[in-house]
Amino acid sequence: MGFLLGLITMAFAGIFLKLFYLQILNYPFYRSLSDTNSLRLIPQRAPRGIITDRNNEVLATNRPTYSLFLVPADVKAYGPSLQKLSELLEEPLSSLENLVESRRQRRKFEPVRLQSHLDPDLIARIEENRVHLPGVYIQMEPERYYPQGDLASHVLGYIGEINEDELARLRDSNHDEGDLIGKMGVERTYDRALKGEDGGVEVEVDASGIQRRTLAYREPVQGQTLKLSIDWKLQKLAEDLMGSQVGSIVVSNPQTGEVLALVSRPNFDPNEFVSGISYKDWNDLMKDKLHPLEDRAINGLYPPGSIFKPITALAALEDKVIDLNKVFLCTGIFWYKTWPYRCHNHAGHGWVNLERAIIESCDIFFNQVGLLVKVDKIYRVARRFGLGSRTQIDLDSEASGLVPNPRWKESTQHMPWFPGDTIHLSIGQGYLLTTPIQMLDVISGLAMDGKIFKPHLLYRILDHNTGRTVFEDPPDLLREAEIVPEDLAFLKATLEKVVSSPHGTGKKARIPGVRVAGKTGSAENPYGDDHGWFMAYAPAEDPKVAVLVMVENGGEGGIVAAPIAKRLMELELGQEVTPMEIPTPGTTPGEAGTPVPTPTAAKGATP
Amino acid sequence: MKGAIKSYLKGMDWAVASNVLVLSFIGFFVVFSATSHNFDITQPWKRQLFWFSISLFVMWLFSRIDYRFWIEASYIFYWVSIVSLLAVLVVGDETNGARRWIKIGILSYQPSELAKLSVLLVLARFIGSKTVELFFLGRLLLLMAMLGLPLLLILKQPDLGSALLLVPVSIILMYVGGVPFKWLTWLFVLGLASSPLVWHFLKDYQKERLEVFINPQDDPLGAGYNIIQSMIAIGSGGISGKGYMQGTQTQLSFIPEHHTDFIFSVVGEEWGFVGCVLILGLYFFMIQRTFEISRKARDREGSLLALGIASMFAVQIVINVGMTVGLLPVTGLTLPFISYGGSSLVFSYAAVGILLNISYANRRPVLVTGRG
């Protein structure tokens, strides 16, 4: 009997030791297991910050939507729940099973968003079946909404679910899989400010995945409000004036660099991306030959054509190869060795000096200047105005363009620089490539006597709750192009005459009572009609607005672009806006109609 | 009458009686905690309270009946339990693929509980009535047959737990009763040799349980789930537990069968190491007292019966608790006095009643001359 009692004592001692092992030695381990068993963190998405124009007009906000979530761990062992769900959602059971299966090992306690935009009917049916659907719940979340539709779409950009590259890139910030992130535009540039802080609810679930009670709640913090320098009214007018034409418009305040309007056409509706764009819609966007997602204002590379001529003029004057009295004969055609170069005025301008060559945009005058001036001089002046470099506007994937010089040509083309190349360059053709925003910098620089402020879209960042300004982007003087004052004075006076002179190519930009200075351009390109350019600033005595209009394959800049610029300046300067019929693309003939085949440098000018 | 009660109470083995009452009292609270959260309209704790009062009566009754009566009538009980074991196979209520219950009106009755007790009685009588030298092979074979019949019927239900309980208890009684150690060794070897055969007869879920016991992590959501969840519950209780009614594993139903087979997990989670040790201590004390009763018993049968009851409780406790802490495979045995369940409670108290009578008898002058 003693032996028996001994056996029993040993058995009890064994149990005692095992209890000691479980409850004392391994308590933390089992405690954490028991917590993960029953605790679920249901993330609650923070509303993104609101984006407004400079006058508080809302460009991007949030609206509530009901989404359906599923916690893979809680539906795993309970097949009927998936069966029921597949009936309710009218989705094949296998796809739900695959989803759950794919999360079996990793992140099985994290909720997966199954569907957004639940209609009230479906919500009611799911709630009715509450008990049959453990691990499934409905939650209201804020969803991005762009009340203006496609207005300023390239400024705002769009948002989407974070991808693996972005996760790797933003490892330090608190991003998680499934987060929404700005993919383009200011949504991307200022994502950190707009993001806010996600909140969450800690709930207790029972063994069958049904939520029993709430243990803790952290309120999501809305992102900060972004106030853009964009002026909604100006933006709207610019978009309307552009109509269905392809191209770009940028309007800014040359004294600060604030961008008042930025248009790129064709555009898109960022609302389509909010809850995940459908495969078909994405494909359509990607296959669209006009690439609606591309921001032409900062990313489109074009030969600037005649709006480059002020730079050639400055280079020639600085190089002292011509003076203001120097004249060349324009007969409509100019032979260099055996190559003919034609002026857009086929009849010829006759004897022209620099002033008339700019006002009437004589190509042959500049062709001949090109034979005299050193190419490096043109290169250096162009670089002074920022061509060939990014303008550093607060948008991503900006292109830097190309200002060619002999060194560049030899190293990339393995060919020497020919005098013909300079002849092309002098009229803004050839290898030269610029973006619209760069040309806006050029005209701003001329308006401000060489001062170029960094163009920017951000006006202020406001705290969402207090409304106080937490960040302000002061004007940033990015470049100061050195120009001989007399040359500059001459050039600015001449640019005014482009608009005011009866023979000026920019006379369609004339505004009564306002001194407008500008330059037209019609850039040849291998894709069709000339690109119509117009750049301008006003009032000339104290520039308050700088405009750049570019219509792809639109024809003559003075005809398609100048009228648009005129109306934008009118609005910005508080004048009455002249009514205008929206032009249809590609109806007017080219301005610089040289029949000579241009070098292939215009590659990439149109996407 | 008053004097009779007084002398009855005075003669009782208070150590054992109070011990099981305290255990039942604790058990009542644990069952309440384990079932209160459920949307269970039957409210198990109320039923438990009802069965507890029945059990108290049964204990009193049995303590008043001379245990020799049970010994004398043991064969009747034996055959009644054999018949009811047969009956349960035919008319029993099937739950989870096993036929263990006979429904009589609103009451359900578990024949294997009666079988356990009657086998104890038969063994006590059979072994107790013979002297040590009388053991020879023929008797042993007869004994084996007497044991084997109910065992097979219980296995057929199947109720592996009850069957597993009977085997060690019988071996203990045979050993104490004087069956030569050599024979028991042979029996053990024979048992081991036939284990592949037994394996063959096991149901799939029983095989699974045994496999899972060896490696629970193999299938954490399937068969290993019970053991893992139970160990998590107990481990997460720590020293002092999560508090009464505060165990997430219990209250959120992660522990299966938490008011019956796995009730010790609830104790472990909500009352912690302290609670577990307290309950184990109470059990151990009770068993130790029962051994004492057996030692002091008036006759051999009484001694063997007390010992049989003690070892039955001991083995049942060790198997049940060993299962919840992951030391032994899942068998489906309840924890005496604490688990929810009428049959188990009534028969446990009946056994305690018999024990009390044995201890009662050995304090009185010998009225009936024993044979041993």
Side-chain angles (χ1 to χ4, degrees), chain A residues 484-516:
Chain A
V484 181
E486 299 83 58
D487 296 352
L488 184 75
F490 158 76
L491 191 59
K492 288 176 78 171
T494 311
L495 290 180
E496 271 188 69
K497 288 177 192 157
V498 169
V499 177
S500 61
S501 154
H503 301 292
T505 52
K507 61 187 173 215
K508 281 185 184 294
R510 221 176 273 167
I511 303 171
V514 179
R515 289 167 56 194
V516 179

Side-chain angles (χ1 to χ4, degrees), chain A residues 52 471 559:
Chain A
T52 72
F471 181 79
I559 291 170

Side-chain angles (χ1 to χ4, degrees), chain B residues 230-252:
Chain B
S230 171
M231 279 165 67
I232 291 174
I234 293 172
S236 66
I239 294 178
S240 55
K242 292 177 185 168
Y244 184 58
M245 309 270 288
Q246 301 298 314
T248 52
Q249 291 285 102
T250 304
Q251 304 302 332
L252 302 170

Side-chain angles (χ1 to χ4, degrees), chain A residues 1 4 8-9 11-12 15-16 18-20 22-24 27 30-31 34 37-38 76 204-207 212, chain B residues 172 176 229 231-232 234-236 238-239 242 248-249 252-254 268 272-273 276-277 280 284 307 314 321 325:
Chain A
M1 288 234 294
L4 270 180
I8 291 168
T9 311
F12 270 68
I15 289 169
F16 178 85
K18 183 71 191 244
L19 283 172
F20 188 82
L22 290 176
Q23 299 188 296
I24 313 270
Y27 165 70
Y30 285 108
R31 185 66 200 230
S34 113
N37 248 348
S38 59
K76 174 67 193 93
E204 202 173 64
V205 297
D206 66 13
R212 283 293 178 81
Chain B
I172 287 169
V176 175
Q229 293 302 334
M231 279 165 67
I232 291 174
I234 293 172
S236 66
I239 294 178
K242 292 177 185 168
T248 52
Q249 291 285 102
L252 302 170
S253 311
F254 287 98
F273 187 68
C276 290
V277 170
L280 285 178
F284 188 77
L307 190 73
V321 177
V325 298

